[in-house]
Amino acid sequence: MNNERRAMVLNAIVQDYVKTGEPVGSRAVVERHHLGVSPATVRNDMAALEEAGLIHQPHTSAGRVPTDAGYRQFVDQIADVKPLSRAERAAIERMLYDAVDLDDVITRAVRLLASLTNQTAMVQYPSLRRTSLRHIELVALTERKVLVVIITDAGRVEQRVVSFPDALGADDLAALRLAVNSELEELQLPELGQALARLAACLPHQLVDAADIIGRAVEDTLANEAEERVVVAGTANLTRYNIDFEHSVFPILDAIEEQVVLLRMLANQQDGLHVGIGRENSGDAFSETSVVSTNYVGPDQKTLARLGIIGPTRMDYTANISSVYAVAKYLSDILAAN
């Protein structure tokens, strides 16, 4: 019973400290959470929690505040994701489903996540190394020039204009379109080399050079665009919580501006929900922050990339986990439907 009650006391301290930013005393726990015990009993529980390293007393005669280990225990016992309100769901649908292309979807998603959580939000672009080709369209511009439109299964669209040494007729272009899509559809970037060799073998001799030009354009385009990117919104939100950081917030802001830092952090996280608290996060810059992230998926439930938030360790974990999950789900649904 003592362990169960101490867990309840820890939860009460975390919830009250997140809400008020003030150290939490035993009398406040009794009055606000109705645990059915006296303040003296709660003080004994607090002493045990402090000895276990889950809470600490910032100064004499003050209440207690959670440590990183206390936040970790609190997060680990969150069993269910809190459902969003109808208004929140409607706002997400209205914001995301009006997007016109992938760039618009990503931009809207990161702004929405920052707005829902009041934290700094980040959304990683779907990696071209993970996505597959959905379709390649060839549009004749002149007899010797063709617009190559490359569409991935994540809805990403790239365009390149290529030139041929000899003129192509409508029938030639139709044959190329059919052969290119037959060999390259549903392949990922690392698989294109062998497929392009097969493509040359299945075409009439007079179309081999044109197919090679198109294939190299596709391969070069995907290789050039394969650099990972993270879009960030709501960095100003961190300055609202400056009091929560023992040191300056500016090293955190500097780290967030470095794409390589964010990409490395996201790469170290496995699929599914990740909550990194304090020094659990990679890099000294994030040692006073918490990072909540999860992956989003595309067709066939393949992981495309990750999204999440960065904020102080004093954050509403239950609500923020819910928001991260929700935006990831809507983003997945939109990309799967494209």
Side-chain angles (χ1 to χ4, degrees):
M1 178 60 187
N2 282 352
N3 288 338
E4 182 179 341
R5 189 181 64 240
R6 286 170 186 168
M8 295 170 65
V9 171
L10 175 62
N11 288 356
I13 293 171
V14 170
Q15 292 167 12
D16 285 0
Y17 183 62
V18 165
K19 186 179 298 184
T20 67
E22 299 292 334
V24 182
S26 56
R27 187 170 298 279
V29 170
V30 171
E31 292 175 352
R32 294 173 186 163
H33 298 274
H34 311 292
L35 301 184
V37 294
S38 68
T41 300
V42 172
R43 280 194 295 273
N44 290 335
D45 290 335
M46 285 181 163
L49 292 169
E50 190 166 9
E51 186 176 351
L54 300 176
I55 60 175
H56 73 96
Q57 192 172 24
H59 50 83
T60 307
S61 300
R64 282 11 178 230
V65 301
T67 63
D68 287 356
Y71 284 124
R72 166 53 58 198
Q73 183 162 311
F74 175 82
V75 168
D76 287 347
Q77 58 82 46
I78 298 176
D80 300 313
V81 176
K82 174 186 174 185
L84 296 183
S85 68
R86 181 177 299 177
E88 288 172 324
R89 293 197 302 273
I92 292 176
E93 292 173 2
R94 185 169 58 253
M95 182 78 166
L96 294 185
Y97 281 101
D98 286 343
V100 297
D101 56 26
L102 180 64
D103 289 337
D104 197 17
V105 169
I106 297 297
T107 300
R108 287 168 179 254
V110 73
R111 289 176 178 171
L112 177 64
L113 189 54
S115 175
L116 287 172
T117 62
N118 288 320
Q119 309 293 345
T120 298
M122 53 184 174
V123 178
Q124 184 181 13
Y125 259 81
S127 171
L128 284 173
R129 300 184 188 280
R130 295 184 183 180
T131 55
S132 302
L133 287 170
R134 172 179 289 175
H135 184 70
I136 297 172
E137 185 57 50
L138 306 177
V139 181
L141 301 177
T142 69
E143 288 185 339
R144 287 186 169 86
K145 284 189 177 182
V146 164
L147 175 66
V148 181
V149 183
I150 305 160
I151 306 170
T152 73
D153 62 354
R156 196 162 177 173
V157 179
E158 302 291 339
Q159 300 180 359
R160 291 293 184 274
V161 175
V162 298
S163 299
F164 304 119
D166 300 313
L168 290 178
D171 291 343
D172 291 334
L173 196 62
L176 278 171
R177 183 185 298 111
L178 180 63
V180 165
N181 282 291
S182 176
E183 290 296 333
L184 304 188
E185 270 185 2
E186 300 184 2
L187 296 184
Q188 295 181 329
L189 178 59
E191 303 170 310
L192 291 183
Q194 292 182 345
L196 292 174
R198 294 194 301 270
L199 177 62
C202 71
L203 282 170
H205 175 71
Q206 68 270 22
L207 296 181
V208 169
D209 287 346
D212 181 60
I213 291 170
I214 293 170
R216 281 190 281 110
V218 171
E219 199 169 29
D220 292 346
T221 299
L222 296 186
N224 290 336
E225 297 296 329
E227 181 181 354
E228 306 288 347
R229 283 193 288 159
V230 180
V231 181
V232 177
T235 52
N237 287 333
L238 277 173
T239 61
R240 300 181 185 180
Y241 307 109
N242 198 39
I243 192 173
D244 289 305
F245 299 108
E246 183 178 348
H247 303 102
S248 171
V249 72
F250 292 107
I252 305 172
L253 296 176
D254 289 341
I256 289 173
E257 289 184 0
E258 296 292 335
Q259 288 275 309
V260 66
V261 173
L262 295 181
L263 288 167
R264 187 185 303 121
M265 178 171 64
L266 292 171
N268 289 334
Q269 300 168 6
Q270 296 180 344
D271 278 0
L273 178 69
H274 170 88
V275 182
I277 300 171
R279 295 199 173 275
E280 295 174 356
N281 297 309
S282 58
D284 291 340
F286 299 111
S287 62
E288 292 186 72
T289 69
S290 282
V291 178
V292 180
S293 69
T294 192
N295 56 291
Y296 64 92
V297 301
D300 303 323
Q301 297 300 299
K302 293 187 302 184
T303 293
L304 296 179
R306 296 188 69 81
L307 59 80
I309 60 170
I310 302 170
T313 55
R314 186 180 72 88
M315 68 163 60
D316 187 340
Y317 290 94
T318 305
N320 286 341
I321 288 171
S322 176
S323 295
V324 168
Y325 259 131
V327 174
K329 181 182 183 305
Y330 279 99
L331 187 54
S332 299
D333 291 344
I334 290 170
L335 296 180
N338 283 337

